[in-house]
Amino acid sequence: NWSFEVINHTIDLLINIKETELAEILRSSLIKTQINATFTGSGFFVSSNGKIITNHHVVKNAKTIKVIDAMGTEHIASVIAESASSDLALLDIGQDVPFYLTLTSSTTVKLGDDVFTIGYPMPGILGQDAKYSKGTVSSIKSGAKDANRFQISNPIQPGNSGGPLIDENGYVVGIVVSKIQGFLAENVGFAIKSSVAVPLLSSYSEIMSKSNSQSPTKDISDEQFEQWIIEHTENSVCQIIVTTNAEYN
C-alpha cells in the first residue's frame, strides 16, 4: 500500500535527522520579536572628566545609556567598571563637567546622622526635575548579616537608585540602592556604603582624593554652606536612561 510506504519513508527521514539539525529546524520555525525596554535611575559625577557612579542593576544589560545632567544636556555613557556583587557601576561620558561630588569613608558614619539624597524618582509621574529627600541613618547595617549597607529613613522611590547619600559636610557616604516594598514598611531604604566602592574605583585615584573636592569660593555662614551643599549636589546628580534589547518568541 503506497500510504504505508510514505509513512515509513517519513519515519526513516526523521530518525536520520541529527539532534542538532532538528533543533535548528525548530529554532528557525519560531518567530522572534525584539522589544526595546526603557528604565531610569540616578547617578552622580565623581570627577571633572565625566566619571559617574550608579548602581549596577540600573545599567545591567544596557544597549544604550543616556545621561541627562542638571543643565538638561544629554550625553551617551559607557560602562568602564562594574561589580554585580556590590551592585555598583562606573560610567564615563568622555568629556569634562563643571560639578562633581567626592566620596569619603563610610566608617565615620554614626547611628542617627543626618543624610540626604537627590535623584530622579519616577520621572514619568513626579516630573523631570531632581527631587530632594532628607532622613537619618537608621541602622549601620541593613540586616543581621549585611554590613555593606546602611538602613536610612529617607523616602526612596523607583528611580532613586544610584543617587548619592550625602553627609552634613557634603561628602558621599553611600549610594542609594533600594527600599523595602509593602504597606507594613515606611521609609525603610538602603544605601551601599561608600567604602564598598573603593575596589571598583582603585584605578581612578582622582575620584577618591579629597584634595580634588569642590568647595565654596569664599567664606560663608553655616546656613549658606548647607544650602551650597544641596545646590552643589543637585548640579552633580544626573538622570540615567537605559535602553535594553529583550528578545521574545
Side-chain angles (χ1 to χ4, degrees), residues 41-47 50-55 67-69 88-91 97 99-104 117-120 160-166 170-176 192 194 197 201 207 232-240:
S42 301
F44 55 98
F45 290 103
V46 287
S47 67
K51 302 294 190 302
I52 299 168
I53 289 180
T54 187
N55 289 141
V67 171
I68 304 178
D69 63 27
L88 293 173
L90 185 65
L91 313 181
V97 295
F99 304 102
Y100 59 90
L101 299 173
T102 301
L103 281 74
T104 191
T117 186
I118 293 179
Y120 293 87
N160 274 122
S161 292
L165 190 70
I166 306 295
Y171 291 118
V172 179
V173 293
I175 301 92
V176 176
I192 301 166
S194 57
L201 307 176
I207 295 176
H232 179 70
T233 301
E234 180 184 5
N235 288 328
S236 303
V237 171
C238 54
Q239 183 181 11
I240 297 176

Side-chain angles (χ1 to χ4, degrees), residues 20-76:
T20 55
E21 293 174 345
L22 181 59
E24 183 60 34
I25 292 172
L26 293 173
R27 188 182 298 111
S28 63
S29 67
L30 297 174
I31 299 175
K32 295 184 178 181
T33 304
Q34 290 190 341
I35 298 176
N36 289 330
T38 301
F39 304 93
T40 65
S42 301
F44 55 98
F45 290 103
V46 287
S47 67
S48 61
N49 59 1
K51 302 294 190 302
I52 299 168
I53 289 180
T54 187
N55 289 141
H56 176 266
H57 77 258
V58 170
V59 297
K60 181 181 179 182
N61 299 325
K63 179 182 178 182
T64 59
I65 303 173
K66 182 167 67 175
V67 171
I68 304 178
D69 63 27
M71 300 301 293
T73 305
E74 296 185 2
H75 312 269
I76 297 299

